[in-house]
Amino acid sequence: MIVILEPNIDKNGELYRRLFGHLAALPNIQVRTHEEHGIQQTLTELYLVGDTAALSLDHIAALPGVVRVVRVSREYRILGRHKDDHRPTAFDYNGVRFGQDTLHVFAGLCAVDTREHVETMLRALREHGQVCTRMGAYKPRTSPYAFQGHGKNCLPYVFELAGNYGIKVIAMEITHESHLNEIHEALQHSGNPTGVMLQIGTRNTQNFELLKIVGRQRDYPVLLKRGFGITLEESLNAAEYLASEGNSKVVFGLRGMKSHFGDPHRNMVDFSHVPVVKRLTRMPVCIDPSHSVGTRAAGPDGLLDIFHATAQGIIAGANMVLVDFHPAPNTALVDGPQALLLGELAHYLDDVRIARNAYEQRCARVASTAISRGY
Ligand code: PEP
Ligand code: MN
């Protein structure tokens, strides 16, 4: 059960103390405090865990200091969508809003290789009005002999250049808690010219200890990618690990499932799950067409499969797109064969707009005919 308190309630005040004391004294109930710091107000929610079936919703809703009470289903208590749940489906980070109704493209390098390539990429993004990118510094690789990423050595120039080119958010994978500290230090050292969305890759979706550490920090939002060999439910529970530790600024990423049935694509594209994740949870949903499709093959219509997969995800309501580009894919140290060319950026962004317009038209159509959305 989630007890939503009056905005900006004083946690040292008498009202809060009494309310908390009352709830904590209920038999077989534990109370956990959860705070959301917005731009204008702080929202405090109390999670009642334990024998909540015996509690009266009306009784708790009538207590002084309480605005609303939501009875949650057992799954995804914090990130889930529950009956009569009007909690927000968006969050702000570094001036960018991420929600179930927004759309941002994170085009960029799968792996940072040279300062020149980073700068060329960022310049192209600025020319096209983009404020988000992806930049891999820590790369989880199948072979121990493969390039593992430049790690903390590239962070100073990546952050400095991102600031120079007006980038507000960089999606960057981390595979160990030390990377979180390195990113934090490098950002501070360079005067916080940009922001970072920490990415948990598909290989770490169920690295619960890493999830707990990343969930305990509130400085950076998190992009959690779906595990490539586990159920959707298991991956959504992984996202809930982040929120249960305190960080509910989580974007859920679909990146395809490992299966030979997806051949000749690298993974089996799973973007039909975009609306499923939005229905079950309040998380914005990201698609990664590059790691799903994994090739630059094109259809007889002339459109690359990556363009098609992107459009499929967006027309289904995706909120974020993570996509590999590279100024010189032949020299890329990771995933060159799936990288789009900088000359394709304008066309790609146009295609994104076309698909987004189609999605908005579909939504307007369903709203005007008042067809129930089923939740
Ligand atoms: C990536 O985005 O660079 C990546 C490694 O993705 P995934 O974890 O989905 O394989
Ligand atoms: Mn990659």
Side-chain angles (χ1 to χ4, degrees), residues 53-75:
L55 300 180
S56 151
L57 209 86
D58 293 341
H59 165 76
I60 295 176
L63 294 171
V66 175
V67 174
R68 222 153 28 82
V69 184
V70 177
R71 200 183 275 287
V72 298
S73 48
R74 278 227 306 279
E75 284 182 325

Side-chain angles (χ1 to χ4, degrees), residues 185-254:
E185 274 170 27
L187 272 176
Q188 282 196 324
H189 205 253
S190 52
N192 292 306
T194 186
V196 169
M197 178 180 281
L198 300 171
Q199 184 177 321
I200 304 288
T202 196
R203 293 157 189 80
N204 276 313
T205 309
Q206 284 190 314
N207 183 341
F208 299 120
E209 298 313 313
L210 181 63
L211 294 176
K212 286 184 201 168
I213 288 159
V214 172
R216 261 175 234 142
Q217 62 76 38
R218 307 275 189 97
D219 294 317
Y220 311 104
V222 186
L223 167 63
L224 177 85
K225 288 219 182 163
R226 176 185 195 163
F228 56 31
I230 57 177
T231 63
L232 181 64
E233 186 186 348
E234 286 165 333
S235 291
L236 295 177
N237 270 302
E240 186 73 10
Y241 259 90
L242 296 162
S244 75
E245 293 293 332
N247 191 342
S248 46
K249 294 185 173 174
V250 184
V251 177
F252 189 79
L254 297 172

Side-chain angles (χ1 to χ4, degrees), residues 129-302:
Q130 300 298 300
V131 295
C132 300
T133 188
R134 59 159 297 152
M135 288 285 155
Y138 308 95
K139 299 307 301 178
R141 303 306 303 282
T142 304
S143 164
Y145 308 113
F147 173 64
Q148 307 282 312
H150 286 312
K152 69 174 178 185
N153 295 337
C154 68
L155 299 181
Y157 67 78
V158 169
F159 294 156
E160 177 208 317
L161 289 169
N164 293 349
Y165 286 94
I167 295 292
K168 293 187 182 308
V169 189
I170 305 174
M172 185 175 277
E173 176 164 1
I174 62 166
T175 59
H176 190 268
E177 65 175 295
S178 58
H179 304 159
L180 173 58
N181 302 331
E182 288 171 7
I183 288 173
H184 193 67
E185 274 170 27
L187 272 176
Q188 282 196 324
H189 205 253
S190 52
N192 292 306
T194 186
V196 169
M197 178 180 281
L198 300 171
Q199 184 177 321
I200 304 288
T202 196
R203 293 157 189 80
N204 276 313
T205 309
Q206 284 190 314
N207 183 341
F208 299 120
E209 298 313 313
L210 181 63
L211 294 176
K212 286 184 201 168
I213 288 159
V214 172
R216 261 175 234 142
Q217 62 76 38
R218 307 275 189 97
D219 294 317
Y220 311 104
V222 186
L223 167 63
L224 177 85
K225 288 219 182 163
R226 176 185 195 163
F228 56 31
I230 57 177
T231 63
L232 181 64
E233 186 186 348
E234 286 165 333
S235 291
L236 295 177
N237 270 302
E240 186 73 10
Y241 259 90
L242 296 162
S244 75
E245 293 293 332
N247 191 342
S248 46
K249 294 185 173 174
V250 184
V251 177
F252 189 79
L254 297 172
R255 47 82 70 211
M257 304 300 294
K258 207 182 226 344
S259 157
H260 290 306
F261 292 119
D263 291 355
H265 288 166
R266 184 172 173 183
N267 287 285
M268 183 83 170
V269 182
D270 55 351
F271 299 166
S272 57
H273 278 171
V274 169
V276 178
V277 178
K278 290 170 86 171
R279 177 169 70 241
L280 294 176
T281 79
R282 296 176 298 116
M283 287 185 278
V285 182
C286 174
I287 52 165
D288 178 343
S290 300
H291 289 82
S292 297
V293 169
T295 83
R296 286 184 43 82
D301 50 20

Side-chain angles (χ1 to χ4, degrees), residues 110 139 291 324 334-335 338:
C110 178
K139 299 307 301 178
H291 289 82
D324 290 1
V334 184
D335 284 349
Q338 71 191 24

Side-chain angles (χ1 to χ4, degrees), residues 22-96:
H22 178 81
L23 296 173
L26 293 168
N28 304 322
I29 295 290
Q30 287 134 33
V31 186
R32 279 212 219 170
T33 310
H34 184 85
E35 278 187 359
E36 286 296 333
H37 299 278
I39 294 171
Q40 276 151 17
Q41 56 185 22
T42 296
L43 284 182
T44 306
E45 298 173 345
L46 299 177
Y47 293 119
L48 307 192
V49 185
D51 190 8
T52 54
L55 300 180
S56 151
L57 209 86
D58 293 341
H59 165 76
I60 295 176
L63 294 171
V66 175
V67 174
R68 222 153 28 82
V69 184
V70 177
R71 200 183 275 287
V72 298
S73 48
R74 278 227 306 279
E75 284 182 325
Y76 328 131
R77 286 169 201 219
I78 302 173
L79 294 173
R81 262 181 196 275
H82 307 291
K83 196 166 172 291
D84 300 325
D85 184 358
H86 307 295
R87 289 176 299 155
T89 54
F91 62 84
D92 293 290
Y93 174 65
N94 207 26
V96 184

